[in-house]
Amino acid sequence: MAAAPAPDSLALLDLARAEFTLVDPRDPHLRVDDLAPHRGDGIFETVLVTRRGAADHVHARDLHFTRFRASAAMLELPAPDPDLWHAALDAVVAEHRAARGDDEPFTVRYTLSRGVDAPVGWALTIPLDPKYVRQRAQGIAVVTLDKGYPAYFGQIAPWMLIGAKTLSYATNQAAGRWAAAHGAEDVIYLSHDGRVLEGPSANVVIRRGGELLTPDPKAGLLHGTTQQTIFSHAAEAGLLCSYTDLTVDDLMSADGVWLTSSARVSVPVTALDGAALTYDEEFSARMRTWVLGDPGTV
Ligand code: PLP
């Protein structure tokens, strides 16, 4: 009989005492009236962990934590203590790696909930969804969907929490099911007035000649750590990198369109609303290397 896979690793954070405990993720730890399951009232980050030689590397660690603190501020949650959260992150990474005894990449999702009486936090390791490895190599068909608000709506509607990475992902999940029911693997949201925003769990990056372009986060989207990493390497490589308004026509005429996120890294979009897009295999590989380092790591 095959051995049961080792369980993922979970740290529970005691924010008042600035301590964490490693616990069995199969045991119950959360009350059903915790505001995370009850109302989706909390924030999270998902970081990618890959093996680099003898050590594990947490990709874009600081960019993620900076966004985590910005999300906390937007939701009026207490500012996360970097020492505590980084220590908990390192502990689950080490425990996961020791339990698995392999070199496979994985992710850590760390979460801050408004809790019941006081905020609570945890960090959980999650194996990488193998679909992303296939998608990186083969590309995906995507459909556009109306997000229902105009571009830059967050500027006049701060209660919408646009730009915060909140736990409220039910509509993002529904968009994924909509895509699957319509012959596609993912979604690109458009503002109600026709600007490209982002995917339900990814940013949109396009190449136009020697230029990389992505929508301005202020237009109504999450500022991606992966997109930021890609832009810094691309700028070093001499490409012009800009945040700008984009339309579906810009995607259709681009020299390459990608969905980027920590877990998927960069996935080429090969078809949009049924129309074939230019697929730039060489540039896709270059982008993955910028994010992952050595192309052999994942
Ligand atoms: N946009 C949304 C809505 C997301 O959920 C994510 C990541 O999950 C991203 C963009 C990409 O962000 P990152 O590259 O930091 O993972």
Side-chain angles (χ1 to χ4, degrees), residues 46-115:
T46 298
V47 297
L48 176 67
V49 181
T50 63
R51 200 74 178 153
R52 281 198 178 165
D56 279 306
H57 180 70
V58 176
H59 291 263
R61 180 195 279 264
D62 292 336
L63 287 175
H64 278 286
F65 198 74
T66 300
R67 189 173 63 191
F68 193 52
R69 285 178 65 103
S71 297
M74 287 174 78
L75 270 76
E76 297 172 52
L77 286 164
D81 166 5
D83 292 341
L84 173 64
W85 285 86
H86 286 307
L89 173 57
D90 289 335
V92 293
V93 166
E95 191 186 57
H96 179 100
R97 189 60 82 197
R100 298 274 166 148
D102 60 24
D103 280 349
E104 290 300 306
F106 60 95
T107 61
V108 180
R109 171 186 267 247
Y110 56 86
T111 304
L112 174 62
S113 161
R114 202 175 300 278

Side-chain angles (χ1 to χ4, degrees), residues 145-151 153 160 189-193 197:
L145 293 181
D146 187 343
K147 187 80 180 179
Y149 50 70
F153 188 52
M160 293 291 285
Y189 286 128
L190 305 178
S191 65
H192 196 54
D193 48 355
L197 295 176

Side-chain angles (χ1 to χ4, degrees), residues 140-142 248-257 268-280:
I140 52 169
V142 166
V248 170
D249 284 349
D250 292 318
L251 305 190
M252 293 293 184
S253 62
D255 298 312
V257 176
V269 180
T270 49
L272 187 66
D273 293 334
L277 294 185
T278 303
Y279 172 31
D280 184 341

